[in-house]
């Protein structure tokens, strides 16, 4: 290697690793460890590139990391070109290197495959770089200010053996593609959401404002929903398959988006790029026609709910119209193996049903070890569909905060709540649910663009219901916000438990009941919601309640919610007022 080539390689390493020129060389971020403060010295001596980590990384570790990133080629003539900061580096070599067709992707090949002008793609910021020794297309992700916030590389056109078409710049996090075009979308009054970058390129080339979700699983409501503020209509190209359906569900989970969302169906074509490649000259008017024919998400949701309600009613009608419904719930609990007093389990079941009301009940089962508190909660939860419950048996203290699951109209079930600290992320998140039936949590994160730490609010809209089990009463801040239920621990209850255990051991346990109709009942209630229940006798009930304890101010609404939940379970047997609200009776 000549001195000139060594200098070029050193400069390339420095530029890639975010380095700066020093008096005797360069200083950059060491790739062998999480280097927050540049500690890698890079120097050229005669015709050699020398590297040294001031933080103590071994020479082998540094060289291995540089080789892995495609930055260390001691025997090559010179690097191909200088890379951008932090990207997989262009590796040394020349254009005559042999390559397998499809094993690399220069911009010209990408443009030919998508039938788009190279000049247009370059105007979108695309360019050819060398990633790990092979040509790839560099696609910058810009924020609303136009600054590069992340970079993704398109390495090939086909998936091949394992999908290695894409790679992110090391340390970059996915975000929406095309955020720098949001102003144009707001001016146009609409935006088209698509999966990936190539559909954006096709639509941008035809003047259509578009944003790309970099993969169906990369939609993040707390990050992406705010970007859509001020845009009147949000179109989503509904791609076929489970991934496309999951993306539509994720995007529509936010009410603020769902009311503006419309689904574009392209018939036999998977995406806009496919439609364009099939008939380029006709693409503008065909895509415009597809936009005009787009289906409002609310229509889709209503059709799905109607179909789900019909299917659930067919299975649960016997329960829904049975005046002995609550007795049948108790019988199912007993037949499932619960011993003795079913009252605690019934209370859990009623509280769980209240998740479908605007203000559900939070409940805590408090009992000594071995009293059966978890068994009681599990017996009630067994009567619910699995998607009605978000269970937390053992998880990190931030798992609930960062979950991608929708929690509205669901139960957060925390078994063994003794393990939850009184302070910290878990305590704050669960206390937020207990206080407001929704989760709000502020986190401090590092902004990848500015490098500064900023506060981000994570919200999980409700209503969310909380159910916990514990050997001791919950913390003081939550005590009046939960309905505390105890488990009998007298001799009679213990004897009943022993009898059930003996029946199982002797092979005389009853046949477990068919819980399908009970699951269908809850699905019917959910599909026909939201529900509102009025308690006409609430005023008289308020006059009869004991009022010596101040906490009654919070306990009385729990009683009313329990009455409303019972009326909701009997909705097919209850009348409705002029406003369509279910009217509770004294039976409830």
């Amino acid at each position: 290697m000549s001195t000139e080539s060594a200098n070029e390689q050193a400069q390339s390493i420095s530029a890639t690793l975010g380095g700066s020129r020093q008096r005797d060389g360069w200083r950059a971020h060491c790739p062998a460890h999480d280097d927050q403060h540049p500690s890698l010295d890079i120097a050229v001596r005669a015709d050699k590139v020398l590297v040294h980590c001031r933080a103590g990384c071994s020479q082998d570790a540094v060289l291995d990391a540089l080789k892995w990133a495609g930055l260390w080629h001691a025997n090559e003539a010179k690097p191909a070109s200088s890379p951008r900061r932090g990207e997989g580096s262009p590796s040394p070599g020349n254009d005559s290197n042999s390559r397998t067709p499809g094993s690399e992707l220069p911009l010209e090949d990408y443009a030919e495959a998508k039938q788009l002008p190279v000049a247009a793609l370059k105007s979108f910021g695309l360019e050819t770089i060398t990633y790990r020794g092979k040509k790839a297309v560099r696609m910058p992700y810009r924020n609303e200010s136009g600054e590069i916030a992340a970079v993704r590389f398109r390495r090939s056109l086909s998936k091949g053996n394992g999908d290695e078409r894409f790679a992110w710049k090391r340390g970059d996090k996915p975000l929406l593609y095309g955020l720098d075009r949001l102003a144009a979308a707001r001016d146009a009054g609409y935006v088209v959401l698509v999966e990936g970058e190539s559909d954006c390129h096709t639509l941008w080339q035809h003047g259509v404002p578009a944003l790309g979700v970099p993969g169906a699983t990369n939609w993040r409501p707390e990050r992406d929903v705010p970007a859509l503020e001020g845009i009147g209509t949000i179109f989503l190209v509904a791609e076929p398959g489970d991934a496309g359906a999951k993306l539509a569900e994720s995007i529509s989970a936010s009410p603020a988006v769902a009311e503006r969302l419309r689904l574009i169906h392209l018939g036999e074509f998977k995406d806009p790029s496919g439609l364009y490649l099939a008939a380029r000259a006709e693409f503008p008017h065909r895509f415009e026609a597809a936009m005009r024919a787009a289906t409002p998400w609310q229509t889709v949701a209503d059709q799905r709910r109607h179909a789900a309600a019909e299917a659930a009613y067919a299975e649960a009608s016997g329960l829904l119209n049975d005046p002995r419904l609550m007795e049948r719930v108790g019988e199912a609990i007993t037949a499932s193996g619960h011993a003795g007093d079913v009252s605690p389990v019934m209370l859990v079941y009623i509280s769980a049903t209240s998740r479908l009301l605007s203000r559900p009940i939070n409940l805590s089962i408090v009992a000594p070890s071995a009293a059966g508190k978890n068994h009681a909660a599990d017996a009630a939860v067994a009567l619910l569909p699995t998607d009605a419950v978000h269970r937390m048996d053992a998880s990190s203290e931030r798992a609930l905060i960062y979950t991608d699951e929708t929690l509205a109209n669901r139960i957060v079930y925390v078994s063994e709540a003794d393990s939850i600290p009184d302070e910290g992320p878990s305590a704050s998140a669960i206390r937020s649910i207990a206080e407001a039936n929704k989760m709000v949590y502020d986190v401090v994160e590092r902004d990848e663009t500015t490098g500064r730490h900023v506060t981000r609010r994570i919200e999980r809209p409700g209503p969310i219901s909380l159910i916990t089990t514990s050997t001791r009463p919950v913390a003081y801040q939550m005590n009046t916000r939960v309905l505390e239920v105890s488990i009998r621990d007298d001799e009679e209850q213990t004897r009943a438990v022993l009898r059930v255990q003996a029946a199982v051991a002797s092979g005389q346990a009853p046949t477990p009941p068919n819980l399908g109709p009970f699951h269908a009942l809850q699905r019917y209630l959910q599909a026909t919601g939201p529900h509102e229940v009025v308690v006409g006798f609430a005023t008289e009930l308020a006059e009869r309640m004991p009022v010596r304890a101040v906490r009654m101010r919070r306990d009385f609404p729990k009683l009313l919610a329990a009455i409303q939940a019972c009326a909701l379970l009997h909705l097919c047997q209850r009348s409705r007022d002029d406003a369509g609200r279910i009217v509770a009776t004294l039976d409830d």
Side-chain angles (χ1 to χ4, degrees), residues 273-539:
S273 181
L275 176 65
Y276 171 68
L277 292 174
R280 285 181 289 165
E282 299 175 13
F283 176 79
H285 74 262
R286 292 181 70 176
F287 191 77
E288 184 179 347
M291 289 175 62
R292 288 196 303 269
T295 308
W297 173 258
Q298 195 57 54
T299 300
V300 175
D302 289 344
Q303 291 170 347
R304 290 181 179 179
R305 277 196 297 269
H306 181 70
E310 284 191 333
Y313 184 81
E315 187 175 359
S317 60
L319 284 173
L320 287 163
N321 294 287
D322 191 341
R324 294 185 61 255
L325 170 59
M326 298 309 295
E327 287 86 346
R328 290 185 63 180
V329 170
E331 291 166 0
I333 292 168
T334 300
S336 296
H338 182 78
D341 184 15
V342 299
S343 298
V345 187
M346 296 286 283
L347 279 171
V348 176
Y349 181 72
I350 290 169
S351 297
T353 302
S354 76
R355 77 190 188 281
L356 302 174
L357 300 173
S358 60
R359 187 67 174 174
I361 302 169
N362 300 309
L363 179 142
S364 177
I365 303 178
V366 180
S369 294
K373 55 187 178 299
N374 288 324
H375 181 81
D378 291 342
V381 167
L383 300 177
L384 307 174
T386 54
D387 60 3
V389 182
H390 179 78
R391 185 161 185 157
M392 296 180 61
D393 291 322
S395 58
S396 72
E397 62 177 8
R398 288 181 170 82
L400 179 61
I401 297 168
Y402 288 104
T403 181
D404 291 331
E405 293 192 39
T406 300
L407 299 178
N409 295 122
R410 297 180 67 191
I411 302 157
V412 172
Y413 174 22
V414 184
S415 60
E416 304 297 345
D418 309 64
S419 61
I420 300 173
D422 292 336
E423 300 296 335
S426 285
S428 297
I430 290 174
R431 191 160 54 242
S432 174
I433 293 174
E435 291 174 355
N437 293 118
K438 63 180 180 179
M439 195 195 76
V440 179
Y441 189 81
D442 291 333
V443 295
V444 177
E445 297 178 334
R446 184 175 181 272
D447 187 298
E448 298 296 329
T449 302
T450 65
R452 293 182 296 182
H453 285 83
V454 296
T455 300
R456 178 167 69 89
R457 171 158 290 187
I458 297 176
E459 295 191 48
R460 297 285 181 265
I464 307 171
S465 177
L466 175 68
I467 292 178
T468 72
T469 64
S470 178
T471 58
R472 56 187 172 86
V474 294
Y476 175 75
Q477 297 97 323
M478 288 176 56
N479 186 263
T480 60
R481 293 180 169 88
V482 299
L483 174 64
E484 193 169 291
V485 177
S486 60
I487 302 290
R488 282 176 51 189
D489 57 359
D490 53 47
E491 293 182 3
E492 181 183 353
Q493 178 67 17
T494 301
R495 183 70 65 191
V497 172
L498 298 185
R499 286 172 180 153
V500 170
Q501 293 171 342
V504 172
S506 63
Q508 299 175 14
T511 303
N514 175 19
L515 298 182
F518 293 92
H519 297 169
L521 182 152
Q522 292 285 330
R523 289 198 301 271
Y524 179 77
L525 299 182
Q526 186 158 343
T528 54
H531 299 283
E532 189 173 354
V533 182
V534 292
V535 183
F537 51 89
T539 301

Side-chain angles (χ1 to χ4, degrees), residues 130-375:
T130 307
Y131 181 88
R132 297 191 187 179
K134 296 181 179 180
K135 288 183 173 63
V137 177
R138 174 184 180 272
M139 300 178 178
Y141 276 61
R142 301 181 185 275
N143 59 23
E144 287 195 55
S145 301
E147 301 164 318
I148 296 179
V151 173
R152 201 181 192 200
F153 305 105
R154 181 75 185 255
R155 303 171 62 187
S156 65
L157 290 170
S158 58
K159 292 183 179 181
N161 245 345
D163 192 355
E164 295 185 351
R165 291 173 299 165
F166 301 97
W168 289 98
K169 184 180 73 176
R170 182 182 295 180
D172 280 358
K173 298 179 180 178
L175 69 159
L176 292 180
Y177 183 58
L179 290 174
D180 54 320
R181 294 170 172 265
L182 276 175
R186 293 190 179 105
D187 289 342
Y190 75 95
V191 70
V192 178
L193 297 179
V194 294
E195 290 184 41
E197 304 91 356
S198 61
D199 288 329
C200 282
H201 301 151
T202 299
L203 293 174
W204 292 348
Q205 174 65 10
H206 292 87
V208 178
L211 286 175
V213 182
T217 60
N218 280 326
W219 175 265
R220 297 291 180 269
E222 66 277 3
R223 178 198 67 195
D224 300 332
V225 171
L228 302 176
E229 291 180 2
I231 300 177
T233 303
I234 301 165
F235 292 98
L236 171 65
V237 175
E239 294 197 5
D242 292 340
K246 183 177 180 180
L247 178 60
E249 294 291 344
S250 299
I251 293 174
S252 64
S254 169
V257 174
E259 62 188 15
R260 295 176 285 156
L261 185 63
R262 301 176 70 90
L263 298 186
I264 295 175
H265 298 277
L266 297 177
E268 62 184 295
F269 302 104
K270 175 178 177 288
D271 51 33
S273 181
L275 176 65
Y276 171 68
L277 292 174
R280 285 181 289 165
E282 299 175 13
F283 176 79
H285 74 262
R286 292 181 70 176
F287 191 77
E288 184 179 347
M291 289 175 62
R292 288 196 303 269
T295 308
W297 173 258
Q298 195 57 54
T299 300
V300 175
D302 289 344
Q303 291 170 347
R304 290 181 179 179
R305 277 196 297 269
H306 181 70
E310 284 191 333
Y313 184 81
E315 187 175 359
S317 60
L319 284 173
L320 287 163
N321 294 287
D322 191 341
R324 294 185 61 255
L325 170 59
M326 298 309 295
E327 287 86 346
R328 290 185 63 180
V329 170
E331 291 166 0
I333 292 168
T334 300
S336 296
H338 182 78
D341 184 15
V342 299
S343 298
V345 187
M346 296 286 283
L347 279 171
V348 176
Y349 181 72
I350 290 169
S351 297
T353 302
S354 76
R355 77 190 188 281
L356 302 174
L357 300 173
S358 60
R359 187 67 174 174
I361 302 169
N362 300 309
L363 179 142
S364 177
I365 303 178
V366 180
S369 294
K373 55 187 178 299
N374 288 324
H375 181 81

Side-chain angles (χ1 to χ4, degrees), residues 9 27 84 107 253 300 309 328 580:
Q9 183 172 354
R27 179 77 51 78
R84 299 286 197 276
L107 181 60
V300 175
R328 290 185 63 180

